[in-house]
């Protein structure tokens, strides 16, 4: 199975989904920046996330030369950043595909510090995807991922938990839980760097909404009015992600963790990284009774083992 994964990693192109975008490696991009404050944003953030993730059990970060950044596009309406379509971590290739914030048809960085902060969020986010526990199995000649973090798939490919309903305000889906936990960590790191460097006073319109998103400070009212222009689709994707992931995860933590929601969040992230769910399931059992994890998350259609079995 290892040789099949290696072969796929050697032949699978990272940029096929973005034929109009020119990519650079993240460390090449950082080396070319003349804006020292922007470089400082990423420097401080990288140091902060290394310490934070080490506390959670992740001792090695996604290598910076495994991060490809879209820097230019031949499409006039291409707008990059965390919410650019079809980007993120590629678990087969063990690499990340992201884009710099802003109009990709314009080589100028209109807000260099926000570009750096957005890249920091993306990198911190994908470091956790890269560092999360995973198992693979060979099925009908194909390599499939059978376990990722605290989530599993049974031999028929069914996920451990069901999808949330479209109008859900909270979540009981492990995919959303892990994505929400991952991005909460990334946004928290971005927010701390922004506060240290006083970025809130230097980010102006039309970038205020993206700054609030990157630092985890969006409010429901932020999406009450339309935002026309090149960034409109980006902002629509931002709203969908916030409502479908960020808000649902925060509501889940509040409902399930109560006054201990920070502790629950930490247990989720640690279990994702290490693959040992005993701390998380034990915490849930003490609070909600035996076998709380399957009662909260397990889909009736799932036929595989529960976490820890």
């Amino acid at each position: 199975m290892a040789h099949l994964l290696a072969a796929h990693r050697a032949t699978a192109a990272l940029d096929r989904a973005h034929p109009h975008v020119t990519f650079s490696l993240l460390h090449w991009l950082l080396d070319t920046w003349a804006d020292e404050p922007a470089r400082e944003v990423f420097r401080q953030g990288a140091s902060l996330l290394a310490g934070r993730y080490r506390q959670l059990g992740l001792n090695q970060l996604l290598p910076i030369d495994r991060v490809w950044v879209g820097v230019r596009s031949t499409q006039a309406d291409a707008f990059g950043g965390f919410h650019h379509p079809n980007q993120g971590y590629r678990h087969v290739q063990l690499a990340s595909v992201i884009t710099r914030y802003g109009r990709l048809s314009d080589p100028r960085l209109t807000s260099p510090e926000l570009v750096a902060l957005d890249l920091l969020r993306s990198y911190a986010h994908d470091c956790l995807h890269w560092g999360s526990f995973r198992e693979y199995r060979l099925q009908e000649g194909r390599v499939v991922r059978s376990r990722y973090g605290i989530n599993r798939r049974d031999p028929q490919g069914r996920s451990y938990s069901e999808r949330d309903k479209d109008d859900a305000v909270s979540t009981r889906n492990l995919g959303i839980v892990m994505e929400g936990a991952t991005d909460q960590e990334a946004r928290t790191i971005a927010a701390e760097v922004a506060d240290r460097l006083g970025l809130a006073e230097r980010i102006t319109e039309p970038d205020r909404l993206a700054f609030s998103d990157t630092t985890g400070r969006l409010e429901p009212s932020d999406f009450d009015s339309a935002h026309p222009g090149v960034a409109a689709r980006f902002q629509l994707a931002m709203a969908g992600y916030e409502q479908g992931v960020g808000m649902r995860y925060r509501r889940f933590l509040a409902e399930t963790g109560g006054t201990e929601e920070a502790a629950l969040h930490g247990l989720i992230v640690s279990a994702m990284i290490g693959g040992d769910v005993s701390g998380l399931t034990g915490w849930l059992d003490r609070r909600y009774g035996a076998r709380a994890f399957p009662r909260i998350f397990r889909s009736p259609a799932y036929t595989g083992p529960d976490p820890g079995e």
Side-chain angles (χ1 to χ4, degrees), residues 1-9 135-139 141-146:
M1 182 162 58
H3 74 279
L4 291 175
L5 272 173
H8 193 50
R9 285 170 183 153
E135 290 179 342
Y136 296 87
R137 65 169 175 258
L138 194 61
Q139 187 168 320
R142 296 183 302 111
V143 177
V144 298
R145 190 171 60 177
S146 56

Side-chain angles (χ1 to χ4, degrees), residues 82-83 87-89 121 125-126 128-129 132 148 150 173-187 241 244-246 249 265 268 272:
F82 184 83
H83 299 289
Q87 67 174 34
Y89 184 68
R121 176 201 185 174
H125 186 106
D126 286 354
L128 278 182
H129 282 314
S132 290
Y148 170 59
I150 58 176
N173 177 275
L174 288 179
I176 298 297
V177 167
M178 292 196 301
E179 177 69 8
T182 295
D183 201 47
Q184 181 159 306
E185 285 293 322
R187 285 166 137 182
Y241 187 87
V245 177
Y249 179 64
H265 169 73
I268 289 169
M272 287 165 49

Side-chain angles (χ1 to χ4, degrees), residues 6-296:
H8 193 50
R9 285 170 183 153
T11 58
L14 287 169
D15 59 352
R16 284 178 182 166
H18 304 284
H20 303 287
V21 177
T22 298
F23 285 88
S24 175
L25 286 174
L26 177 57
H27 70 89
W28 292 345
L29 179 63
L30 297 176
D31 287 345
T32 65
W33 278 356
D35 192 279
E36 183 57 30
R39 292 165 66 96
E40 186 62 17
V41 168
F42 201 90
R43 270 199 298 265
Q44 289 209 24
S47 175
L48 181 64
L49 75 89
R52 168 60 179 168
Y53 289 177
R54 193 177 301 114
Q55 292 176 350
L56 293 166
L58 182 58
N59 296 314
Q60 185 177 356
L61 302 178
L62 171 63
I64 203 166
D65 62 357
R66 301 293 298 165
V67 182
W68 292 91
V69 184
V71 294
R72 294 191 307 278
S73 175
T74 57
Q75 293 181 318
D77 62 346
F79 197 93
F82 184 83
H83 299 289
H84 187 73
N86 198 17
Q87 67 174 34
Y89 184 68
R90 308 297 200 241
H91 76 94
V92 172
Q93 295 98 330
L94 298 176
S96 178
V97 178
I98 58 180
T99 50
R100 67 161 176 86
Y101 172 79
R103 293 181 60 144
L104 293 176
S105 59
D106 187 345
R108 296 170 297 176
L109 303 183
T110 55
S111 182
E113 289 166 303
L114 179 56
V115 171
L117 197 68
D118 181 81
L119 288 173
L120 172 64
R121 176 201 185 174
S122 293
Y123 179 63
H125 186 106
D126 286 354
C127 277
L128 278 182
H129 282 314
W130 178 81
S132 290
F133 182 88
R134 52 195 176 271
E135 290 179 342
Y136 296 87
R137 65 169 175 258
L138 194 61
Q139 187 168 320
E140 298 179 353
R142 296 183 302 111
V143 177
V144 298
R145 190 171 60 177
S146 56
R147 184 177 170 195
Y148 170 59
I150 58 176
N151 201 9
R152 293 173 177 265
R153 290 191 178 275
D154 65 19
Q156 290 74 41
R158 293 183 288 250
S159 181
Y160 188 86
S161 52
E162 295 179 299
R163 293 183 61 177
D164 295 325
K165 294 181 179 179
D166 291 342
D167 60 351
V169 296
S170 184
T171 185
R172 294 298 183 270
N173 177 275
L174 288 179
I176 298 297
V177 167
M178 292 196 301
E179 177 69 8
T182 295
D183 201 47
Q184 181 159 306
E185 285 293 322
R187 285 166 137 182
T188 298
I189 290 164
E192 183 164 339
V193 172
D195 290 345
R196 284 183 185 180
L197 299 177
L199 298 189
E201 292 77 22
R202 302 204 291 274
I203 304 297
T204 59
E205 296 293 348
D207 298 317
R208 294 293 305 177
L209 186 66
F211 178 76
S212 296
D213 172 57
T214 303
T215 54
R217 293 164 179 166
L218 287 172
E219 300 291 341
S221 59
D222 288 329
F223 302 110
D224 287 346
S225 58
H227 297 270
V230 172
R233 283 181 296 183
F234 181 85
Q235 291 162 351
L236 184 62
M238 179 195 301
Y241 187 87
E242 179 65 7
Q243 292 160 4
V245 177
M247 289 181 181
R248 288 183 189 179
Y249 179 64
R250 291 193 298 275
R251 178 67 69 88
F252 162 78
L253 286 181
E255 291 173 347
T256 310
T259 59
E260 299 179 76
E261 61 181 271
L264 175 58
H265 169 73
L267 288 168
I268 289 169
V269 178
S270 294
M272 287 165 49
I273 293 169
D276 181 358
V277 298
S278 59
L280 174 59
T281 57
W283 188 93
L284 290 171
D285 285 351
R286 289 190 294 275
R287 193 175 182 98
Y288 296 105
R291 294 184 57 77
F293 188 98
R295 283 191 287 107
I296 293 171

